[in-house]
Amino acid sequence: MLQHHLSIRAILVWTISLFGLLSLLIALVTGSIYRDLTLKNQEQALERLITISSKELLNESRDLSTELGMSLQSNQALRKAVSSQDIVALQELLENQFHQYFMTAHVIEISQLTVFDAALDTLSHFSSNFDTSLSCPNLINEAKSRTGPERLKTLDALCTRNGLTFHSVLVPIGGLRIMGYVEITSAPVHFLKKIEQTLGNPVKVTQPNGSVAYQSSDWPDTNSLQNFLDARVELTNAFGEAVIAVSVCTHINTLFEELNQTRNLIILGTGITTLIAIFIALLGLRITTLKPLTQLKEQIQLMRKDPIQMRRSVDVRGTEETRELAKSFNQMTKELNELYQSLQDMAYRDKLTGLPNRNFFHARLDQLTATDTATPFSLLLIDLDRFKSVNDTLGHHIGDKLLTAAAERFRESLRTTDLIVLPHFCHEFQEKGDIISRIGGDEFAVILPETTDPKDIEIVCRKLIQSIKQNFQINSYPISIGLSTGISVYPRDGDDMHTLMRHADIAMYHAKSSRCGYAFYEPSLEKHKHIALNFESDLKLAINREEFELFYQPKLNRDNQVVGAEALTRWIHPEVGLIPPDQFIPAAEKTGLIHPFTHWVISEAIEQCLYWQSEYPGMGVSINVSAISLQDPELIDVIRTQLATYPINPRLITLELTETAVMRDPEHALMKLKELSLMGLTISIDDFGTGYSSLAYLKKLPVNEIKIDRSFVIDMTKDRDDEAIVRSIISLAESLSLTVVAEGVETEEARQALVNLNCDTLQGYLFSRPLQINDFLLWLKEKKSLEASNSAVG
């Protein structure tokens, strides 16, 4: 009976009305889904930031504690007290530390200082809260288990006691002859609470026993906590124990307001669409209306299954009313799509450079290798050379600007566009240009679609190298960097993302170690990469097995007379063969073996210099000293002992230090170099022009010589900028009465140009490569004979 009273118009009205309600329901569900996804992404991002910030701050705590420990272990009074086990003197020395700058300025919050003897039995301690149980048993046990050179390493760990967490750093006392240890125990909460300034959000730090060690003053109370997103990360120590928890909360009302506003717009648009549909139905245009509405319904169903369908538009056809309905729906989905893309963009674009990030790059690379019929392409993995020295010397803010500038030059050198397609849309990716991404730190990655010819790839690599060859001008600093590129080709070098990335990384490591700019992956490189990973363990054995050897490269004056030689260390590895120092010195520094290694180099070089005085009197030797070796408290005594053992004029011994080593701690460097200079040694600044040193400090330092970096000398006859830099450095040296050495002289044209500029000393492959001692002495003999023959003919 009810159906008898319903007209076709009423049926259409009811039908479209129900459809409108369904659309509103979809809008509400979609809004809830977007809100939940957004909150989840925000929480995960906040947890990652907490983890990263916590590690950085704990590293800062470790470094400051280590610095305090190194200062204590070099204290002669402390060494004497430990040696004599003078408990009263030790107690007084430890108590005095709590009145030093580290404590009074709250640089670090020391809880306890403990001194052990060589057997790690407690000699004395002093605690800020008189708690005598703060020593870390796990750390002490680990130190007791170490033997040989391992005992020289500084240890640190997070430990818990009575439900509270503390940070312990154990530093050996006495250098190679360990007479004891000093343990610095500090409160990690002192550093972890700095996350509040780092992230700009309230922070709460909770101890393992549940007590709150620190809570920001603006931490929300229980009633208002629902308006905040609370992310919590539990930190563990090296022994797998949960030691402390860090919570950070951020206000989410603004985000909810934006989402609600968008949802309301969606609801409003859906309502308007429904009203338009009813109006069309009331006109009775059933034939021209039902088909567009069916299409609209199907599109909404697709959107419910896959948000990517929001990018699609429905056809605009039918009567004017149905066309208007379709346009309104398309506008609504466009707005939804823009919102969705903006959320995706936050997850897949590098904020600093504007390039796609690692997530996008991996998704795109995975898509390109998804099928067996995928088009071949090339993968380039790029790492910036000397970027770390920029960060260490000029600061991370300059490093960030340098990364942005380098990214722009890379983009200009490639066939790229501004289009970035997010991973969810990769199956519709139609862009044929090159793809460049910043995948982390100073690493970039490039995909060259349909490019596998080595010649074409080399052209791109040379363009990238050329793009950064010209100095960057960042905040008035002229900065010179290079790059190393590893290349893998799909499918030749791998048929999946992970294999291609690993092989490109191996090739990049080879390019960096060989300084060839770029390198293609070859299976033979796998062995070298594997051996490189074992450098740290192999180094310990290499010193005992006497696998190191000094090579010598001659240095000549403007009259082509040999005036000296640079001692360059080579590692004769039993499997790899000859290994240059830039590959194993970082490992030696990391393991703490750099000090005994440097002592050996000094002894060998001075002994050899004395040996050749009988044939070549006045010919000196140059010895490279790293930044860490300059901090060695035994360096002065070792050199003094060697000079006493081998009676030689100290002025013939030149110590070469890089600008970075000097500028890392200028005040300490000034003190050490003055002491070395008073011994009569010649002091040289190596790689001058690449370390951004302060001329004010250079003027103060007791320097006798500056050495122009080879990167400026090699192309000085072709590059006007390099020639101008060399000219300026020589002019500066003359005004400061310093000797100038130019390394990297490889052509007669470069030698003549340097002579014309009044460069004092020259060094490079034009004269000789670094030679083993017997070959070097033979080279000297042949050169002396040739000069004698030329003199007789003259």
Side-chain angles (χ1 to χ4, degrees), residues 12-35:
L12 290 174
V13 168
W14 278 103
T15 302
I16 297 176
S17 297
L18 290 174
F19 179 75
L21 291 175
L22 179 62
S23 300
L24 291 174
L25 179 61
I26 293 173
L28 290 173
V29 172
T30 304
S32 299
I33 292 174
Y34 286 157
R35 182 183 66 180

Side-chain angles (χ1 to χ4, degrees), residues 362-376:
H362 282 180
R364 179 62 178 143
L365 195 57
D366 193 43
Q367 179 214 7
L368 288 173
T369 58
T371 63
D372 295 335
T373 59
T375 304

Side-chain angles (χ1 to χ4, degrees), residues 37-302:
L37 286 174
T38 301
L39 285 177
K40 185 176 180 180
N41 289 337
Q42 287 274 49
E43 183 177 6
Q44 291 176 346
L46 197 55
E47 288 175 353
R48 286 194 293 270
L49 288 174
I50 293 172
T51 302
I52 293 171
S53 298
S54 299
K55 288 182 179 179
E56 292 178 349
L57 291 169
L58 289 176
N59 286 338
E60 181 182 354
S61 173
R62 179 198 63 202
D63 293 342
L64 288 173
S65 295
T66 302
E67 182 179 349
L68 176 58
M70 294 303 292
S71 175
L72 283 171
Q73 76 89 22
S74 63
N75 188 312
Q76 295 299 327
L78 181 69
R79 289 192 177 195
K80 182 177 180 181
V82 171
S83 177
S84 61
Q85 296 194 359
D86 187 345
I87 306 303
V88 175
L90 285 173
Q91 188 71 20
E92 182 180 352
L93 285 168
L94 294 180
E95 182 177 357
N96 286 340
Q97 293 302 314
F98 284 80
H99 303 290
Q100 299 300 319
Y101 174 78
F102 266 32
M103 291 296 294
T104 59
H106 299 288
V107 175
I108 186 171
E109 189 175 297
I110 302 299
S111 300
Q112 180 174 298
L113 294 174
T114 307
V115 175
F116 302 91
D117 61 15
L120 285 163
D121 293 324
T122 304
L123 292 177
S124 179
H125 74 272
F126 188 85
S127 173
S128 60
N129 55 8
F130 303 103
D131 185 354
T132 62
S133 61
L134 289 183
S135 290
C136 181
N138 289 330
L139 193 66
I140 300 302
N141 291 336
E142 184 177 357
K144 287 181 178 180
S145 67
R146 297 196 171 202
T147 60
E150 287 286 334
R151 301 178 62 209
L152 300 176
K153 295 179 63 174
T154 298
L155 302 177
D156 76 290
L158 287 172
C159 302
T160 59
R161 182 63 61 85
N162 300 328
L164 300 177
T165 298
F166 60 92
H167 187 202
S168 285
V169 174
L170 190 67
V171 178
I173 301 173
L176 294 177
R177 296 181 179 178
I178 295 178
M179 61 180 65
Y181 297 83
V182 59
E183 181 185 26
I184 299 90
T185 304
S186 62
V189 176
H190 179 71
F191 287 88
L192 290 175
K193 66 184 181 182
K194 294 181 181 179
I195 297 177
E196 181 178 6
Q197 288 78 33
T198 304
L199 301 183
N201 292 313
V203 172
K204 181 168 70 174
V205 182
T206 308
Q207 296 282 12
N209 61 5
S211 63
V212 177
Y214 175 78
Q215 180 173 298
S216 301
S217 59
D218 53 347
W219 185 270
D221 55 30
T222 305
N223 296 329
S224 59
L225 194 59
Q226 60 185 2
N227 299 324
F228 291 80
L229 177 66
D230 181 12
R232 174 187 172 95
V233 174
E234 288 192 356
L235 304 179
T236 59
N237 61 15
F239 311 107
E241 303 169 339
V243 293
I244 205 162
V246 180
S247 302
V248 174
C249 64
T250 181
H251 208 283
I252 56 176
N253 277 356
T254 303
L255 178 62
F256 277 164
E257 290 174 2
E258 293 176 355
L259 291 173
N260 289 335
Q261 183 180 5
T262 303
R263 186 179 61 182
N264 292 336
L265 289 174
I266 296 171
I267 294 173
L268 179 61
T270 305
I272 294 174
T273 303
T274 304
L275 291 176
I276 295 174
I278 294 175
F279 175 73
I280 295 173
L282 292 175
L283 294 177
L285 304 177
R286 183 176 59 180
I287 297 176
T288 58
T289 302
L290 289 178
K291 193 170 183 179
L293 288 179
T294 301
Q295 182 190 23
L296 188 64
K297 179 182 177 181
E298 292 174 350
Q299 177 64 15
I300 292 176
Q301 290 174 337
L302 290 173

Side-chain angles (χ1 to χ4, degrees), residues 664-680:
R664 177 173 294 182
D665 188 352
E667 296 298 334
H668 179 268
L670 177 61
M671 178 184 68
K672 271 292 181 69
L673 294 182
K674 281 184 176 179
E675 197 168 352
L676 291 168
S677 181
L678 289 174
M679 294 168 61

Side-chain angles (χ1 to χ4, degrees), residues 392-453:
D392 293 344
T393 308
L394 301 181
H396 289 276
H397 64 292
I398 299 295
D400 288 346
K401 291 183 179 180
L402 178 59
L403 285 174
T404 303
E408 184 60 31
R409 292 193 186 180
F410 289 156
R411 185 155 38 193
E412 292 173 355
S413 302
L414 298 168
R415 303 168 299 173
T416 60
T417 68
D418 292 332
L419 177 63
I420 293 182
V421 182
L422 300 179
H424 289 89
F425 308 147
C426 277
H427 65 277
E428 295 185 9
F429 191 94
Q430 300 296 326
E431 176 61 35
K432 298 298 183 182
D434 304 330
I435 302 171
I436 179 169
S437 300
R438 181 188 175 215
I439 60 176
D442 61 340
E443 287 191 357
F444 296 82
V446 176
I447 294 175
L448 304 179
E450 302 179 3
T451 303
T452 58
D453 189 325

